[in-house]
Amino acid sequence: MLTSQEARALARATVAMTAETGADEAEALVFAESSALTRFANNRINQNVAEENAQVNVRAVVGKRVGVATTNRLDVASLRATCEAAVAAARIAPADPDFPGLPGPHDVALPDRVAPATLAFDAEARATAVAAIIAPSRERGLTAAGKVRVGHHVTAVANSHGVNVGMALTGAQATVLAMGASDNAGSGWASFLDADASKLAAGALGLEAAELAVRSANPVALDAGDYTVVLAPEAVADFLDFLSYVGFSGRAFSEGRSFMTGHLGEKVMSDLITISDCAGAPHATGVTFDFEGQPKPPVSIIDRGIAVQPVTDSYWAAKLGRPNTGSALPAPNSFGPMPLNLEMAPGDRSLAQLIAGVKRGVYVTRFHYVNVEDPITVLLTGMTRDGTFMIENGLLTRPLKNLRFTQSAVDALAHCEGVTRERRFVGTEEGASYVPGLLLSKFAFTGQTA
């Protein structure tokens, strides 16, 4: 496993090698990872895997032409062949007159985001955690499935203009799906994500999923229609991910595919909705620079319901005449820039208080199989899963059969009437959202699923 300093040195050496092979400008991006995963199903461990890898992405620039090549062989001959391949690709690529050149260096804060407890979370610790997660399901006659994963990641970027950054971090993730055996049995879900594996309360995680599964047994049908809903953080994260995917990118904004195009400075959501990208926040889990080595300043995207700005990288910042928000993905990519440290501002209510404020509505634990029907309005369709309940007179009452929804995420957040103060990380080690629960006064369920 490369250290951060070794990854930076490798990136600099690769940049020098690329320049020697004829590139006008060069960039090297180094990823190194050591990860381990324990999967379980039917209340027992069924897989243990561990992986260690390192990869170098080379971006070569010849005039206004750009070529990229990648290798995970780190010997000099393989690296040189990769640099030559990147230059060769650049020479035959179409010229892009809008390419502004690679960016220059800027100061980047590099906080310590390596948790020793995660590095020490070995196979025995993962097995112990799995046993604790499974126990509540086994005691209730349910079966549990899921995973416990830990990872140590290093990212480094260098380019021929002096960019030279690198950072290490850790991540720990656990998920559990608890299920009954009968046709009308329920299912429940819970997840954990943090840099520090010592924060994993495995027994509580398993209990959360098992109790949801027991409570959601024998569900009843609900007619399609508009309902007030309370979304748990897992469900909110899905909406935020799709807003980011189709709406927050400077490329989508420039090409007229974003709900923000032509609406900057306008109110598009509820006053209660504030969305930002905050890689430098003390609670953040990712690296503090993007894949061009540029710093990630705090970026306000939606401020109290008002569309503020899309995110950019060096290319789309130059093309749009806007600041670079440090949101580059690894080259090449067809998505344009993307925020990877999204968070939604907290409110002042608890989840129980949100539910208590609903006379008749639906509680959603999480969504499943969500897809985009219309990117401009962020019209999504998908299904509820693993804990959907009727809310009547401020209480969770009957479990519901899973429902299909067809709903604009923008319009749903325009009808937000409550936000929890508690927030949770949802996602993966590579990209997670930090989200609260929400009360939405209007949400369209369009059908019943099995």
Side-chain angles (χ1 to χ4, degrees):
M1 176 73 182
L2 294 173
T3 66
S4 176
Q5 291 302 319
E6 289 169 338
R8 291 173 70 164
L10 176 60
R12 293 194 302 271
T14 305
V15 166
M17 206 177 292
T18 310
E20 291 169 4
T21 59
D24 298 329
E25 302 173 85
E27 174 191 86
L29 172 58
V30 176
F31 301 103
E33 176 189 42
S34 176
S35 62
L37 167 71
T38 299
R39 292 186 190 277
F40 56 97
N42 296 318
N43 291 344
R44 64 181 180 84
I45 291 172
N46 64 344
Q47 185 182 40
N48 262 309
V49 294
E51 177 186 14
E52 186 167 322
N53 194 17
Q55 176 178 311
V56 179
N57 287 15
V58 178
R59 179 160 60 149
V61 181
V62 178
K64 293 284 187 179
R65 304 172 190 271
V66 178
V68 177
T70 300
T71 184
N72 67 348
R73 293 184 173 182
L74 305 187
D75 61 277
V76 172
S78 297
L79 287 171
R80 185 170 294 281
T82 304
C83 297
E84 291 170 350
V87 172
R91 292 192 189 285
I92 61 173
D96 183 351
D98 293 328
F99 181 69
L102 298 177
H106 297 275
D107 292 337
V108 178
L110 300 172
D112 181 3
R113 289 182 175 166
V114 174
T118 304
L119 298 178
F121 212 77
D122 58 13
E124 183 174 350
R126 297 196 305 277
T128 300
V130 168
I133 290 172
I134 287 173
S137 288
R138 178 177 284 127
E139 291 164 2
R140 290 161 177 77
L142 307 171
T143 59
K147 67 181 178 183
V148 176
R149 183 178 189 272
V150 292
H152 182 200
H153 311 271
V154 170
T155 304
V157 187
N159 76 18
S160 52
H161 298 302
V163 167
N164 175 26
V165 293
M167 183 175 167
L169 56 86
T170 54
Q173 184 184 26
T175 65
V176 55
L177 173 64
M179 298 173 291
S182 68
D183 290 343
N184 284 324
S187 62
W189 170 267
S191 72
F192 163 85
L193 181 67
D194 200 278
D196 189 348
S198 69
K199 295 180 180 177
L200 171 60
L205 193 75
L207 183 61
E208 180 182 345
E211 289 186 336
L212 266 176
V214 170
R215 192 168 187 174
S216 61
N218 301 310
V220 299
L222 181 70
D223 291 337
D226 290 346
Y227 290 86
T228 297
V229 296
V230 173
L231 303 183
E234 292 268 357
V236 175
D238 267 336
F239 269 42
L240 197 53
D241 287 349
F242 276 93
L243 281 165
S244 172
Y245 174 51
V246 300
F248 292 163
S249 165
R251 177 170 188 168
F253 178 85
S254 176
E255 295 174 347
R257 295 182 287 109
S258 165
F259 71 94
M260 293 199 290
T261 303
H263 297 288
L264 294 187
E266 296 179 10
K267 192 171 178 59
V268 295
M269 298 178 186
S270 160
D271 289 342
L272 298 177
I273 299 298
T274 290
I275 300 170
S276 55
D277 194 48
C278 298
H283 52 255
T285 59
V287 295
T288 51
F289 52 87
D290 70 3
F291 294 109
E292 293 181 316
Q294 300 301 292
K296 293 182 173 183
V299 181
S300 175
I301 300 170
I302 302 290
D303 183 13
R304 288 167 291 182
I306 295 174
V308 179
Q309 62 179 317
V311 298
T312 58
D313 53 18
S314 64
Y315 183 95
W316 290 99
K319 190 154 183 166
L320 291 167
R322 304 188 65 86
N324 186 349
T325 64
S327 306
L329 297 180
N333 84 85
S334 59
F335 300 106
M338 200 78 73
L340 298 180
N341 302 88
L342 281 174
E343 61 178 74
M344 189 176 286
D348 58 359
R349 318 263 292 274
S350 68
L351 200 58
Q353 287 173 321
L354 293 188
I355 294 169
V358 178
K359 184 173 179 58
R360 187 171 187 270
V362 176
Y363 175 83
V364 178
T365 298
R366 69 168 182 146
F367 294 124
H368 169 64
Y369 206 59
V370 181
N371 285 291
V372 180
E373 287 203 350
D374 176 13
I376 294 178
T377 60
V378 198
L379 182 64
L380 306 176
T381 187
M383 294 167 281
T384 66
R385 190 176 185 183
D386 304 325
T388 306
F389 298 94
M390 198 75 206
I391 305 174
E392 294 170 297
N393 299 316
L395 297 172
L396 296 186
T397 56
R398 297 165 289 170
L400 297 174
K401 292 183 178 179
N402 287 319
L403 297 159
R404 172 164 289 282
F405 70 88
T406 304
Q407 172 67 57
S408 158
V410 178
D411 189 55
L413 296 181
H415 290 84
C416 180
E417 295 188 355
V419 183
T420 66
R421 53 182 167 268
E422 299 88 2
R423 292 186 290 176
R424 178 179 288 193
F425 279 109
V426 181
T428 68
E429 297 162 49
E430 289 76 21
S433 300
Y434 194 44
V435 288
L438 298 179
L439 166 61
L440 309 177
S441 62
K442 183 182 177 185
F443 193 92
F445 290 111
T446 49
Q448 195 82 60
T449 68

